[in-house]
Amino acid sequence: GDSVTQTEGPVTVSESESLIINCTYSATSIAYPNLFWYVRYPGEGLQLLLKVITAGQKGSSRGFEATYNKETTSFHLQKASVQESDSAVYYCALGDPNTGYQNFYFGKGTSLTVIP
Amino acid sequence: DMKVTQMPRYLIKRMGENVLLECGQDMSHETMYWYRQDPGLGLQLIYISYDVDSNSEGDIPKGYRVSRKKREHFSLILDSAKTNQTSVYFCASSLPGISGNTLYFGEGSRLIVV
């Protein structure tokens, strides 16, 4: 089936350290999946962090980046130097553009705490 | 400014009571969603609405129903709430585009059923 698996949290990192949150997907019924990272800051709803719709491309936002790797079916989220304000829950998601209304499949979320 | 608004943000109900969660969006998006999020389970799709009076079950529709009488409003109804419906509920709307659909989420409604 179609699904997303991501790093289980919680993850704790010190400020200015590097970060990687792993995400792998299964898209058995989706020919050209779209990949997303959403973030939920404390007390807020989910918001789009970045998205990539073409295999081999990289998306970036707020210092985060992720590359759509079709060979390894991965979309890992990376940041070279995290800040305390990056503390949030991060969700990897898979979308099917061919459904017309795009069904989304979300990972379970990775809670990140950045300590000063 | 694109916004999805959920009401109420917090709600405590007794088992067997009815629950109404409301969602509004100001972007004229056709497609809207209700998800629930539980620890360790991520987001699970309850219902999807393609437009007014055009709704479909998601992955976990049992115990829920929805209503969409205006494009900008999408309601989630629990008739006779159960304790296992304690959760955080998220409404979202979808903007299609050539660069892929994007979901816009509300801030969530935390429901506790006692």
Side-chain angles (χ1 to χ4, degrees):
Chain A
D2 304 314
S3 64
V4 173
T5 303
Q6 62 182 99
T7 300
E8 283 196 27
V11 172
T12 303
V13 179
S14 297
E15 202 165 30
S16 79
E17 287 189 346
S18 63
L19 170 73
I20 180 165
I21 299 176
N22 291 327
C23 172
T24 56
Y25 67 90
S26 171
T28 55
S29 65
I30 304 173
Y32 301 100
N34 295 170
L35 297 175
F36 305 80
W37 277 102
Y38 279 84
V39 57
R40 182 185 174 197
Y41 296 105
E44 300 182 14
L46 284 81
Q47 55 186 273
L48 179 68
L49 179 59
L50 56 88
K51 67 179 179 183
V52 180
I53 66 170
T54 305
Q57 298 293 313
K58 180 168 70 177
S60 60
S61 174
R62 306 179 206 176
F64 290 90
E65 58 182 35
T67 300
Y68 183 162
N69 190 320
K70 190 174 182 180
E71 286 68 37
T72 59
T73 64
S74 65
F75 191 56
H76 306 320
L77 183 68
Q78 302 182 71
K79 189 172 186 181
S81 176
V82 297
Q83 302 171 339
E84 193 175 353
S85 57
D86 293 326
S87 296
V89 181
Y90 293 81
Y91 297 87
C92 185
L94 169 71
D96 180 3
N98 291 328
T99 62
Y101 302 103
Q102 194 156 9
N103 296 325
F104 288 85
Y105 302 90
F106 284 86
K108 295 181 179 180
T110 302
S111 177
L112 171 68
T113 300
V114 179
I115 54 178
Chain B
D1 194 21
M2 301 185 194
K3 193 171 178 63
V4 177
T5 304
Q6 292 184 231
M7 290 293 288
R9 295 288 311 281
Y10 303 95
L11 189 61
I12 300 176
K13 285 286 193 179
R14 295 186 185 280
M15 194 166 57
E17 290 184 329
N18 298 333
V19 177
L20 173 64
L21 301 181
E22 302 197 86
C23 176
Q25 49 103 354
D26 61 1
M27 300 166 276
S28 296
H29 289 170
E30 292 181 355
T31 309
M32 296 185 73
Y33 310 74
W34 275 107
Y35 289 89
R36 63 177 281 176
Q37 199 232 333
D38 300 293
L41 291 180
L43 280 86
Q44 301 175 85
L45 179 65
I46 305 171
Y47 269 93
I48 183 171
S49 173
Y50 303 119
D51 210 333
V52 172
D53 286 330
S54 181
N55 308 315
S56 286
E57 295 179 346
D59 300 320
I60 53 163
K62 188 177 179 181
Y64 304 93
R65 62 183 174 94
V66 292
S67 174
R68 188 145 180 228
K69 298 301 182 185
K70 293 183 179 180
R71 179 171 284 184
E72 61 269 23
H73 290 131
F74 189 34
S75 301
L76 181 69
I77 301 131
L78 288 67
D79 295 315
S80 186
K82 300 174 180 55
T83 56
N84 62 8
Q85 292 177 309
T86 292
S87 188
V88 180
Y89 292 86
F90 287 99
C91 175
S93 68
S94 176
L95 173 65
I98 58 172
S99 60
N101 283 9
T102 298
L103 286 178
Y104 291 85
F105 284 87
E107 295 177 331
S109 296
R110 181 177 294 275
L111 170 66
I112 298 173
V113 182
V114 298

